[in-house]
Amino acid sequence: MRVFTTNHRALGILYLLLALAAVIAGTLLSLVMRVHRVWPDLALPFFGTIKPEDYLALVTMHGTLMIFFVLTTAPQIGFANLVLPEQIGARSMAFPRLNAAAFWLTALALLVLLAAFFVPQGAPISGWTSYPPLSAVAAAGPGEGAGMDLWLMSIGIFCLASWLGAVNMLVTILSERRAGMTWSRLPMTVWAWLVTSILTLLVFSELLAAIILLFSDRHFGSSFFVPQGDLVNGHIVGHGDGSPLLWLHLFWFFGHPEVYIAVLPGMGLATSLFANFARRRVPGYRLMAAMLLVIGLLGLVVWGHHMFVSGMNPYAGTAFALTTMAIAIPSTVEVLGWLTILWGGRLRLTTPMLFALGFLSFFIAGGLTGPILAQPVLDAYLHNTFFVVAHFHLVMAMAGVFSVFAGVYYWFPLMTRRMMNETLGKLHFWITLIAAYGTFFPMHFSGLAGEPRHYERLAGPITSFSAIAANERGITFSALLLASAQLIFLWNVFASARRGRVAEANPWEATTLEWAPEMARARVERGPYEYEILANETNFHPQWELASKQE
Amino acid sequence: MPVHVILLDAVRVAQSPTWMPSDGALHGPALDHLMRWNLIALCLCFLAAHAWLVAAILRRRKSTQATAPKALPWIILTALCAMYVWMAVIAQRLWAENRFAGPAPEAMQVEVVGEQFQWYFRYPGEDAAFGITRPELVNAAGGNPLGLDARDARGKDDVVSSVLVLPVGREADLRLRSLDVIHGFFIPGMRLKENAVPGLVLHVHFTPSVIGTYPILCSQVCGSGHARMQAMLSVVSPAEFQAWLAARERARIQEGAP
Amino acid sequence: MPATFTRHPVEIERKDTGIGGKPPLDRRPTGGGGDGDNWENRPSGRRGPRELLTRYRLGVLFALAGDLMFFVALVSAFFVRQSAGHFDARENYVSDWHPLAMPPILWINTAILILSSLTMEMARRQLFHEIDVMDEWLGLGRPAVKRATPWLVATFVLGSVFLAGQWIAWEQLVQQGFRYNSPDPSSHFFYLITGTHGIHLLLGVIALAAAFGALFVLRRIELRQIVVDCTAWYWHTMGLFWIFLFALLVCFQ
């Protein structure tokens, strides 16, 4: 494989490796955070004692790495590069060189981001949301100088990379489908990639504009976000009527669709895997595809629910509360759809299926706290507490990561022609599931007790913090277990790639085209999930089979 | 911190069915009630969904076994939608009560100013008017942390405190300001949260109804001192409050210009 | 591209009458009929002469859609910033927005850009002139390219003049004291809006030059058409964006 390859499968693997590097870095940062919260004065090897600004830098970089470089790459463009062309019956992506350019820009963005650790004063401390004026004024905190500039440049490059990637994916899905591959024959994964590509196209360019405005405030004396008379560290830095609220609107208009970009591909993959391993057709195929579209569309008009208590007009709060509550409906349809597939199927509990089931469990657990946070009066208590941290880690991080695991175990034979070890896979699944719930579920209680986010240690007059100290310890131990369990996965991946059981063609007895044998170049005449023929679970029609007259 | 206070508090937190600290605001019980029912309802949905999931996994289906009635998912969907609508409507009513209407005209005005990493509270004094502040006059070391302008007569009787003291049973209207970055003004015991945004003056109003002390936390990351940006709300009887305020106002007049 | 909906198959009804059979019967609900270019349900590579062109046009469309969102973000920031203000020492609400007077040369620049869109369109159409395209495809010289070239050069010249005119407008503003670093927000927006548009147009001018070179380097007429066509659509879009942005700066300050 040449370094600057344009082969989409190689690029898919490169994206997955990039996400792997980012998730390892992000996980290490989170472990340091968790250990610090329980033993604040401990001097850690290599890191030393964690100062308050170090903690905030860890939080910021953890969030940035995980959301951008893990959850926006692997499930979406990583897996799409691996199998999208095959799934629609195309030979390659529409613009292979553009595709490659998108990857290398993403890699550059990751390097620029990691460089923020090594500049004077270190990485930024304003969170992945980088609200100004904290992020606009270098004097407002350590790391807000060069570190913040590097953060902005990294995310700016990432925006460009995402834009190119989305253009490629959209044109591929629209124009490279094989003859006969109509919209109602697309695998659900392709529907999900279609919706996420549209969202990516719309919101990352908008984020880029916001980043340029923030960069301008920092270096060119403009005042888009810094208000008049802003006094930081004894110096007046605000010379114009900027509005910090403007940044919140611009950022969250991107930020909310971003979390749907992170989770929608997993939803499409879950449908595919459930159909495959329950040996069932998808009963509400059109409805579920439509719901993906509706979630994507609605996701564009709910951004204000991150801003209920940020100074926004309370009437606007009501409007956003209603749109946010509305999004619960298509999500519920999806969940009921999955549960219906499972109920009527004969389940094969392979490792990819287990992870898909885990995805469903986390999606339910995290998703159910959404309606609480969608109510402004309740959010007025829970905003920026650990309740929110529990919510998004369950519904986005764990569900997203489980969908990535499911995809890796499922498509491993395509990448390496070998199978991953099932026993290790099951062990990995069970420990990860239990440890993930153990890590994030108790955070709900911390949040209800009022524990705010981004606190490097719990001290001060609030005594309910002492009541949740035991909680914190439990969470940290769970987190350590969670991280350790991933070593099983890493071992499994690298050992199976070399010495795993050789995979037969179509080892999962799937119907979708990425499993088609080489010679199958005929037009597509079958739907994506034609399992369960004549109520017999072993009888199924792969999508590359021609329709016969007997049907 | 005395052990028995910690333990009592821990018990209180654990006893509260929603793990929330005890509530001291007038609008608190309604909010707590809503929170409790939301948590119960969603917990039940979580358990029911997982019961369905686990049952589906454990089920051994024979090929001719009848599946569940096709209408069942639709019935469940309708019920859940009804629940979402009910949640939204009830919550909106509370939100409207708390936020749509302004404070009562006789509400007590207090200004809250956030600065890295300290909360200041300003009372308008006898004239019930706040004096003008200018950022260039801010000088905490020199005793003028808010930058009160000496030329404005209305500011001569303003009392600046680092503790928020309020009389029980009287509505308080807080003016939230910030000098430098966005801070979050959060009183868990009063079920109150609103950001303090530089360049804006934001108002929240509430009525403290239980005497006691309530921690005030910063809920929006504001820099390296974010975790220690804490203060205290002290809710006292009206007589005590008058005494405290009068003493502070006398001290203010005596010290003269800032 | 493939059909959107799965259609009913054509039923072939043949009865052996012993004489020669009956003709096939078309039972499609709408009666069938012509298929135009017969886009539908053809394998890749057999979808007609504009298959590759459609793919590239789609790519340009989506890329520009993303670009549009970028400008939408800038424009919404523009409107929000205009209405921002603060309370001064006398408790009056003052705004620091002072509308910037547009240098008159901008009107000339706009006219030049519109003209350049016309020449660009002429260039694009020359390259789709069927008789000349057929000749080129048959290898009989490059009449389509010859027709398009002067128009392409004219667009290049007009585009460069536009950019020079924008630069002059900037110089005029700097002389009046409005730099990018001056505290005036309307001047920030002016430079930001005209600057980002200018960068996009510079990329367009470079693309024009590249397209011009490509006309002589590329072997297939199809690819030559694509290069000029995509550049043309990009150019027109930048012209359209400019009209909106200019109207914004003139009328909505």
Side-chain angles (χ1 to χ4, degrees):
Chain A
M1 176 183 102
R2 0 185 274 271
V3 178
F4 291 105
T5 178
T6 53
N7 172 277
H8 60 270
R9 189 156 284 172
L11 282 170
I13 295 178
L14 282 174
Y15 267 112
L16 292 177
L17 289 174
L18 182 143
L20 182 66
V23 83
I24 290 175
T27 306
L28 278 171
L29 298 178
S30 69
L31 289 179
V32 174
M33 280 158 57
R34 283 304 330 165
V35 167
H36 173 80
R37 289 172 68 84
V38 176
W39 299 289
D41 300 309
L42 192 64
L44 292 158
F46 178 68
F47 286 95
T49 330
I50 308 293
K51 301 192 289 298
E53 54 270 23
D54 295 340
Y55 181 83
L56 289 176
L58 293 172
V59 172
T60 304
M61 298 299 272
H62 167 79
T64 309
L65 278 167
M66 294 303 210
I67 295 183
F68 287 108
F69 294 95
V70 180
L71 292 172
T72 314
T73 53
Q76 161 75 338
I77 201 159
F79 284 141
N81 264 301
L82 211 55
V83 293
L84 171 65
E86 281 78 7
Q87 281 198 344
I88 58 175
R91 218 163 284 134
S92 69
M93 290 279 198
F95 303 120
R97 275 170 297 199
L98 202 69
N99 198 15
F103 171 75
W104 290 108
L105 280 175
T106 310
L108 176 66
L110 180 61
L111 285 173
V112 171
L113 182 73
L114 293 173
F117 278 120
F118 300 105
V119 293
Q121 291 202 340
I125 62 171
S126 32
W128 87 284
T129 55
S130 43
Y131 285 1
L134 180 59
S135 59
V137 178
E144 294 303 298
M148 190 68 211
D149 284 333
L150 284 174
W151 189 96
L152 287 171
M153 282 194 277
S154 162
I155 302 305
I157 298 172
F158 189 89
C159 290
L160 286 171
S162 302
W163 172 63
L164 295 178
V167 169
N168 180 39
M169 282 186 52
L170 278 169
V171 178
T172 306
I173 295 174
L174 257 65
S175 73
E176 297 301 304
R177 286 169 291 134
R178 185 184 290 183
M181 178 58 84
T182 59
W183 292 107
S184 44
R185 291 181 183 152
L186 284 176
M188 200 60 79
T189 39
V190 181
W191 277 107
W193 287 323
L194 175 70
V195 178
T196 42
S197 298
I198 295 174
L199 288 178
T200 306
L201 192 67
L202 294 178
V203 303
F204 272 95
S205 357
E206 191 262 349
L207 177 67
L208 183 60
I211 285 180
I212 291 178
L213 294 179
L214 184 56
F215 200 82
S216 168
D217 265 13
R218 290 169 57 81
H219 295 286
F220 297 119
S222 60
S223 55
F224 297 110
F225 307 121
V226 181
Q228 182 78 23
D230 200 47
L231 180 74
V232 178
N233 255 343
H235 299 284
I236 294 187
V237 298
H239 299 290
D241 287 315
S243 167
L245 263 191
L246 177 62
W247 169 267
L248 267 76
H249 280 290
L250 288 175
F251 181 84
W252 285 116
F253 181 80
F254 149 78
H256 194 83
E258 162 72 342
V259 309
Y260 287 113
I261 290 170
V263 91
L264 279 169
M267 295 169 73
L269 181 59
T271 310
S272 263
L273 292 182
F274 289 149
N276 194 163
F277 293 110
R279 313 307 295 167
R280 276 200 81 184
R281 302 167 185 261
V282 175
Y285 171 87
R286 282 190 195 196
L287 182 63
M288 293 186 78
M291 290 299 105
L292 290 179
L293 274 167
V294 170
I295 291 175
L297 269 164
L298 275 178
L300 286 166
V301 292
V302 297
W303 77 91
H305 67 235
H306 301 270
M307 300 164 57
F308 284 141
V309 292
S310 304
M312 199 172 60
N313 185 332
Y315 291 99
T318 299
F320 281 116
L322 295 174
T323 51
T324 308
M325 197 60 98
I327 256 195
I329 299 173
S331 312
T332 308
V333 172
E334 286 281 319
V335 169
L336 290 174
W338 291 322
L339 289 170
T340 310
I341 299 174
L342 293 172
W343 183 256
R346 297 186 67 176
L347 307 191
R348 297 179 177 179
L349 296 177
T350 58
T351 308
M353 176 59 157
L354 286 174
F355 275 100
L357 291 168
F359 166 90
L360 178 53
S361 172
F362 284 119
F363 190 79
I364 293 172
L368 280 174
T369 46
I372 292 192
L373 294 167
Q375 298 166 54
V377 70
L378 296 179
D379 186 66
Y381 182 81
L382 294 171
H383 170 73
N384 263 3
T385 61
F386 262 75
F387 194 88
V388 179
V389 177
H391 166 73
F392 64 71
H393 275 97
L394 286 173
V395 77
M396 176 177 71
M398 287 303 107
V401 151
F402 267 57
S403 75
V404 172
F405 284 139
V408 171
Y409 281 100
Y410 186 66
W411 284 313
F412 195 77
L414 280 183
M415 291 191 260
T416 60
R417 297 207 196 110
R418 293 176 186 277
M419 306 290 283
M420 286 179 77
N421 184 302
E422 274 293 305
T423 316
L424 286 180
K426 293 189 160 82
L427 189 66
H428 172 221
F429 167 75
W430 284 109
I431 302 180
T432 306
L433 182 78
I434 295 169
Y437 267 113
T439 307
F440 298 111
F441 207 81
M443 290 184 183
H444 290 115
F445 307 124
S446 306
L448 285 167
E451 183 186 343
R453 293 168 70 176
H454 304 122
Y455 272 32
E456 59 103 12
R457 71 176 72 194
L458 303 177
I462 185 160
T463 50
S464 56
F465 282 175
S466 49
I468 47 179
N471 217 10
E472 290 289 318
R473 249 191 296 278
I475 294 174
T476 298
F477 282 121
S478 254
L480 287 166
L481 179 63
L482 180 60
S484 315
Q486 307 320 306
L487 295 171
I488 305 176
F489 173 71
L490 287 176
W491 169 262
N492 198 355
V493 167
F494 290 109
S496 305
R498 294 247 204 94
R499 301 192 302 265
R501 174 171 71 85
V502 174
E504 60 268 27
N506 199 2
W508 307 116
E509 291 190 305
T511 53
T512 41
L513 283 175
E514 75 268 27
W515 301 104
E518 268 304 315
M519 288 298 115
R521 285 263 161 243
R523 51 180 294 126
V524 171
E525 289 174 0
R526 293 195 173 278
Y529 302 118
E530 292 196 10
Y531 296 100
E532 201 185 33
I533 308 306
L534 304 174
N536 182 341
E537 70 145 282
T538 56
N539 200 349
F540 65 100
H541 288 300
Q543 214 169 5
W544 57 91
E545 235 181 53
L546 292 172
S548 62
K549 292 231 171 72
Q550 279 134 357
E551 300 258 71
Chain B
M1 195 95 215
V3 173
H4 65 277
V5 177
I6 299 174
L7 279 175
L8 268 173
D9 220 78
V11 166
R12 213 177 343 151
V13 168
Q15 263 180 352
S16 165
T18 55
W19 294 273
M20 295 159 79
S22 59
D23 158 64
L26 196 61
H27 67 270
L31 192 152
D32 284 4
H33 183 80
L34 185 63
M35 182 77 83
R36 187 173 309 131
W37 280 108
N38 266 279
L39 288 173
I40 291 174
L42 295 171
C43 217
L44 287 174
C45 290
F46 173 76
L47 292 170
H50 276 81
W52 186 351
L53 180 57
V54 171
I57 293 171
L58 296 175
R59 201 172 173 233
R60 292 271 165 265
R61 181 183 147 224
K62 304 185 205 23
S63 39
T64 51
Q65 189 175 25
T67 56
K70 284 212 171 136
L72 187 60
W74 292 104
I75 297 172
I76 297 177
L77 178 66
T78 316
L80 287 170
C81 287
M83 182 182 83
Y84 298 142
V85 170
W86 169 78
M87 280 172 162
V89 167
I90 305 254
Q92 278 318 298
R93 273 205 217 123
L94 264 185
W95 177 250
E97 262 172 49
N98 289 353
R99 300 274 181 138
F100 281 9
E106 63 272 10
M108 190 168 80
Q109 297 263 326
V110 182
E111 184 182 77
V112 177
V113 179
E115 185 195 25
Q116 286 178 328
F117 301 101
Q118 172 90 32
W119 292 105
Y120 294 106
F121 306 100
R122 179 158 68 131
Y123 296 81
E126 284 281 337
D127 61 357
F130 291 105
I132 289 175
T133 57
R134 283 131 95 27
E136 49 275 21
L137 300 174
V138 167
N139 182 0
N144 189 5
L146 299 185
L148 275 166
D149 193 344
R151 294 173 300 181
D152 185 0
R154 296 171 302 172
K156 289 211 175 1
D157 59 354
D158 288 1
V159 171
V160 179
S161 159
S162 48
V163 178
L164 178 60
V165 184
L166 291 176
V168 70
R170 183 172 172 201
E171 189 174 16
D173 173 33
L174 301 179
R175 267 167 66 109
L176 295 172
R177 287 205 302 127
S178 167
L179 294 182
D180 40 32
V181 299
I182 302 180
H183 296 280
F185 186 71
F186 179 34
I187 314 180
M190 289 289 146
R191 309 294 188 257
L192 185 75
K193 181 181 295 160
E194 182 77 10
N195 280 2
V197 182
L200 291 179
V201 177
L202 299 170
H203 284 260
V204 277
H205 56 96
F206 68 107
T207 306
S209 56
V210 178
I211 290 178
T213 54
Y214 302 90
I216 300 174
L217 307 171
C218 180
S219 61
Q220 176 57 46
V221 64
C222 54
S224 46
H226 172 58
R228 54 182 160 83
M229 187 168 167
Q230 297 177 24
M232 258 324 188
L233 162 64
S234 184
V235 179
V236 295
S237 69
E240 242 183 282
F241 176 76
Q242 285 304 331
W244 174 83
L245 193 58
R248 293 299 296 265
E249 282 171 359
R250 270 197 305 276
R252 178 82 174 93
I253 305 291
Q254 274 172 3
E255 74 186 46
Chain C
M1 71 187 90
T4 309
F5 299 108
T6 319
R7 297 192 196 276
H8 301 282
V10 174
E11 233 175 75
I12 302 174
E13 199 184 84
R14 288 183 189 275
K15 282 209 185 103
D16 188 5
T17 57
I19 305 170
K22 294 174 102 173
L25 207 65
D26 195 325
R27 288 242 162 88
R28 282 176 287 190
T30 49
D35 208 358
D37 265 341
N38 200 1
W39 277 106
E40 299 169 359
N41 289 314
R42 285 297 185 87
S44 174
R46 305 252 176 98
R47 291 180 190 150
R50 299 215 167 173
E51 185 182 346
L52 203 59
L53 178 68
T54 312
R55 188 198 298 177
Y56 279 96
R57 275 182 177 171
L58 267 182
V60 172
L61 173 74
F62 287 126
L64 288 172
D67 211 14
L68 176 68
M69 280 309 294
F70 176 86
F71 281 102
V72 163
L74 287 183
V75 167
S76 39
F78 174 82
F79 280 115
V80 168
R81 188 66 179 78
Q82 261 191 57
S83 52
H86 67 278
F87 287 99
D88 69 2
R90 294 185 201 286
E91 315 230 316
N92 302 313
Y93 190 74
V94 293
S95 169
D96 64 347
W97 184 273
H98 309 292
L100 202 62
M102 292 294 110
I105 195 174
L106 285 183
W107 290 95
I108 303 175
N109 289 348
T110 308
I112 290 177
L113 195 62
I114 295 175
L115 196 61
S116 75
S117 257
L118 292 173
T119 55
M120 182 80 238
E121 186 61 15
M122 289 304 298
R124 192 185 74 82
R125 283 176 193 230
Q126 297 314 316
L127 221 38
F128 282 90
H129 195 227
E130 285 302 328
I131 297 183
D132 295 330
V133 167
M134 190 61 80
D135 279 349
E136 288 206 25
W137 187 74
L138 288 169
L140 306 171
R142 296 192 179 208
V145 168
K146 282 203 181 63
R147 277 168 172 263
T149 302
W151 295 106
L152 216 53
V153 170
T155 313
F156 181 88
V157 166
L158 287 171
S160 308
V161 169
F162 173 85
L163 286 174
Q166 296 288 80
W167 187 262
I168 292 174
W170 282 15
E171 303 252 287
Q172 287 178 350
L173 275 179
V174 167
Q175 265 168 11
Q176 288 170 28
F178 296 104
R179 316 183 71 92
Y180 191 62
N181 313 21
S182 41
D184 192 10
S186 56
S187 88
H188 286 134
F189 267 106
F190 180 84
Y191 282 106
L192 199 62
I193 286 177
T194 53
T196 46
H197 179 266
I199 291 175
H200 282 85
L201 210 79
L202 181 63
L203 290 172
V205 165
I206 295 173
L208 270 175
F212 185 73
L215 283 181
F216 297 100
V217 168
L218 289 172
R219 300 274 203 83
R220 288 165 59 189
I221 176 65
E222 210 185 355
L223 295 176
R224 294 199 283 267
Q225 285 180 325
I226 288 173
V227 164
V228 173
D229 189 78
C230 291
T231 312
W233 290 113
Y234 178 83
W235 194 266
H236 293 323
T237 311
M238 288 305 132
L240 205 63
F241 280 0
W242 174 251
I243 292 174
F244 278 116
L245 293 172
F246 187 56
L248 193 76
L249 289 171
V250 166
C251 308
F252 287 97
Q253 287 209 49

